[in-house]
Structure formats: C-alpha cells, structure tokens
Amino acid sequence: NSTGTTSFGSTLTTASGITQDNGAGAITFKGDVTTGAGDTVTTLNANVVLDGLTFAANGAITFGNTATDTVVLSGGDVTINTTSNDLTFNSVVSGAFDLILGVAGVTVFNAAVGGGTPIGDGTGPALTINSTGTTSFELSVAIASGITQANGAGEITFKENVTIGAGNTATTLNGNVVLDGLTFASDGDVTFGNAATDTVVFSGDTVTINTTGVGDDLTFNSIVDGSLDLILGVTGATVFNAAVGGVTPIGDSTGPG
C-alpha cells in the first residue's frame, strides 16, 4: 500500500499473488518473479516497471485498473508466463524492449500497446505470442519490429490499428487471426498462417493491410473469410495460397469487396 516507490533488486518468489493498492507508488521488478498457487491472484493497480525478467504466475495476473496506469519494459526482454490462468493489461504497455507471452488462459490488452514508446528493440520479434490461450488487443498496437505467433498458439484478435516498424524481423502469424475493422501497416513482410487450416477472419468493419517498406511482401497461407471489405496497399508481392471467402464470401455487398 506504500505511496512511495518500491524496487525489488533481485528475484522474488511468493506462495500466493501480489497486491499493489490503487494509488500506491510505482513498483520495479529487476529480477525474475515467481508467484505460487495460493488463494490470491496478482493485482497490480498502479505503475509497474519490468526490467528484463521472467514473470511466472501460478494464478491470474492483472496489470493496472485504468488506462492512465503504465507497464514499462526496461533493461531487456520481458517474458510473462502463466501455468493455467489469465493475463489482463488495463495499463498502457510501452518501452523499447521485446515482450514474450506464454499464457495458458486468456490474454486481454484493454489499453494501448506501445502507447508511449513502441515496444521492441528492433532486433528479433518485438512481440512473441506462444500462448495457448486466446490473445485480444482491444486498442492500438505499435511495435518496433515484427510479431511472431507460434504454431499452435491460440487465436489473436486485433481490434484497433496495428503499426509495425522497420526492425530486422518480419511478422509471421502461424495460427488463427481476427482483424476487426482496422488498418494493419507493416514496414516489413507479413505472413498469415502456415497451413490452409489456419484462418484470417474480417469482422467489425473494413480491413486495410499496407506494407510500407520497399518490396515488403504479404502472404496468406490462411483461409481468408468474413463479410467485410478488404483493401490492400502492398509495396511488394501479395500471394493468397488458400481460399479467399472459403466459408463466407468477403465483402459487405457495398462497394468493392
């Protein structure tokens, strides 16, 4: 409940969750954090700094209770894992380091990712999703390099604009993806799916996909589906290797599909 800042300079292991009171000072974790399977989940209701570590929880984790709260990635790449539970970000996530997720439950980002500084250091994927549960980005995503969705990872839903910078790693989404009325802009190649059993579904409104780097390609190995329009602005080659409108014809019947 401290109103001053709190810093953990080394590892932290607890038998149950961690609670940060609303209005408490910022907490900085500088070593790996492991929370056990006690009867209390982890709820961090203010600003948090994750300084190049692995945060592993045997219980649900919630960062923030308002979009004015922040989670800052600093010092090095940050990995967050849960063994069977959910991960919720009500905080803005920023900081020029990579984020790696391995979440067994549902992951929801209710505030912007890269809202202050695009996440990622520009080397390797800025965002790696190994989670077997679903992942949903309710607001915008801004990252310095590509996104990697592992083969076998849960479905990813993007509900606001996605902007990917000119890092050294392309975007490879190797599972199911929902694009919910947005612009997906990448300064690098983009590949959806690695099998024709994967799907890209359009929902909500028109979907625009742009590549902004010279010769950046767009590849769909996934079935493309959903009764909304698709607009492409691709600087390189675009290839659809699976059916377009494979279940539901794309387009809303108003204007070009």
Side-chain angles (χ1 to χ4, degrees):
N1 300 324
S2 305
T3 54
T5 61
T6 302
S7 181
F8 295 91
S10 188
T11 59
L12 172 65
T13 302
T14 66
S16 192
I18 305 166
T19 298
Q20 177 189 27
D21 194 36
N22 185 37
I27 300 178
T28 298
F29 298 99
K30 295 188 175 183
D32 291 347
V33 178
T34 305
T35 64
D39 65 355
T40 303
V41 300
T42 292
T43 307
L44 300 167
N45 281 327
N47 297 336
V48 173
V49 178
L50 302 176
D51 192 13
L53 51 80
T54 295
F55 196 116
N58 196 344
I61 310 170
T62 300
F63 289 99
N65 65 356
T66 173
T68 57
D69 297 327
T70 59
V71 172
V72 176
L73 313 178
S74 72
D77 296 349
V78 171
T79 299
I80 303 176
N81 298 326
T82 70
T83 55
S84 61
N85 299 97
D86 300 340
L87 171 63
T88 304
F89 288 90
N90 298 313
S91 307
V92 173
V93 180
S94 66
F97 292 92
D98 301 333
L99 177 62
I100 302 159
L101 301 178
V103 178
V106 173
T107 301
V108 179
F109 292 84
N110 287 316
V113 175
T117 301
I119 69 168
D121 59 9
T123 301
L127 179 60
T128 299
I129 299 175
N130 299 320
S131 305
T132 53
T134 62
T135 302
S136 181
F137 297 90
E138 302 293 307
L139 291 180
S140 61
V141 176
I143 58 178
S145 191
I147 306 169
T148 296
Q149 177 190 23
N151 187 41
E155 181 177 88
I156 301 175
T157 299
F158 298 100
K159 294 188 176 182
E160 293 288 347
N161 293 345
V162 177
T163 305
I164 301 170
N168 72 348
T169 302
T171 290
T172 307
L173 299 168
N174 282 326
N176 297 336
V177 174
V178 177
L179 301 177
D180 191 15
L182 52 78
T183 296
F184 194 111
S186 176
D187 197 342
D189 295 343
V190 180
T191 300
F192 289 98
N194 64 353
T197 54
D198 297 327
T199 59
V200 173
V201 175
F202 305 144
S203 67
D205 207 342
T206 298
V207 171
T208 300
I209 303 176
N210 298 328
T211 64
T212 57
V214 175
D216 289 336
D217 299 335
L218 172 63
T219 304
F220 288 91
N221 297 313
S222 306
I223 293 171
V224 178
D225 212 359
S227 55
L228 281 305
D229 298 337
L230 174 63
I231 301 170
L232 300 179
V234 178
T235 56
T238 301
V239 179
F240 292 86
N241 287 317
V244 176
V247 177
T248 302
I250 69 168
D252 61 5
S253 301
T254 302

